[in-house]
Amino acid sequence: MLRLVVLLISPLLLFGQGSLRRCYVCRSRGEDGDCKDKFIEPPETIPGLPVPAHSVSVDKQPCSSGWCSKILDGGGKNQLDDLEVATERACMQRAPSDDKQRCAYVKMSNKEVFMCFCKGDLCNGSTRLSRSEERRVGKECRS
């Protein structure tokens, strides 16, 4: 009887996982960081298997809101190089009030940072969510 229940529930679990929205989660500083642009997607792992400690710096995590962010912290609006810029990718706790994807300079903890937010599975892995894109296209970024 237990096997029958497991066999009936297993396909539902697999189907449900396909509708999850995920975001890349990482933070790094400077040219050698794994989170910076040009962003390289981490290798696929088998769900449920342990990952060796401190071997993965970029993670794909479920995101209940479906909204991901990418934050460039440091350097200011006129910076041309990325030597001291910290890049952070994460899941947003809730959607923006206007429900629009975009990039803009925002205040976080009394500090101005460049932030992009997007909706969709792993959308914050895009290198298009960057300052150079904002200069070319204007204030709105779409992934």
Side-chain angles (χ1 to χ4, degrees):
M1 180 67 177
L2 183 60
R3 283 186 183 179
L4 180 61
V5 171
V6 171
L7 289 175
L8 291 175
I9 293 176
S10 296
L12 294 175
L13 292 174
L14 292 174
F15 178 74
Q17 289 177 351
S19 63
L20 284 178
R21 293 223 167 99
R22 301 166 298 164
C23 297
Y24 289 108
V25 177
C26 59
R27 182 174 171 84
S28 66
R29 182 176 297 278
E31 288 187 31
D32 296 330
D34 292 336
C35 201
K36 68 166 178 52
D37 292 324
K38 185 162 196 162
F39 185 69
I40 299 170
E41 185 175 327
E44 287 292 326
T45 58
I46 299 171
L49 290 181
V51 177
H54 308 293
S55 68
V56 178
S57 57
V58 178
D59 198 10
K60 297 175 188 175
Q61 293 184 359
C63 181
S64 61
S65 71
W67 283 84
C68 305
S69 67
K70 175 182 168 185
I71 300 169
L72 301 177
D73 180 5
K77 291 181 182 179
N78 299 318
Q79 179 178 347
L80 297 176
D81 60 28
D82 290 333
L83 295 176
E84 292 302 318
V85 174
T87 305
E88 181 175 354
R89 299 171 197 266
C91 170
M92 295 177 61
Q93 291 183 354
R94 58 187 161 272
S97 58
D98 60 2
D99 208 39
K100 291 188 179 178
Q101 302 180 89
R102 65 179 167 277
C103 297
Y105 284 93
V106 298
K107 288 276 190 185
M108 287 182 68
S109 304
N110 296 320
K111 192 173 175 183
E112 189 172 63
V113 298
F114 185 75
M115 180 177 188
C116 298
F117 37 91
C118 56
K119 184 176 184 178
D121 190 43
L122 302 174
C123 64
N124 64 339
S126 171
T127 57
R128 289 177 20 205
L129 300 176
S130 66
R131 280 186 228 201
S132 59
E133 180 74 10
E134 192 261 351
R135 283 187 207 114
R136 283 195 305 270
V137 183
K139 293 284 184 193
E140 195 166 340
C141 277
R142 301 204 190 283
S143 67

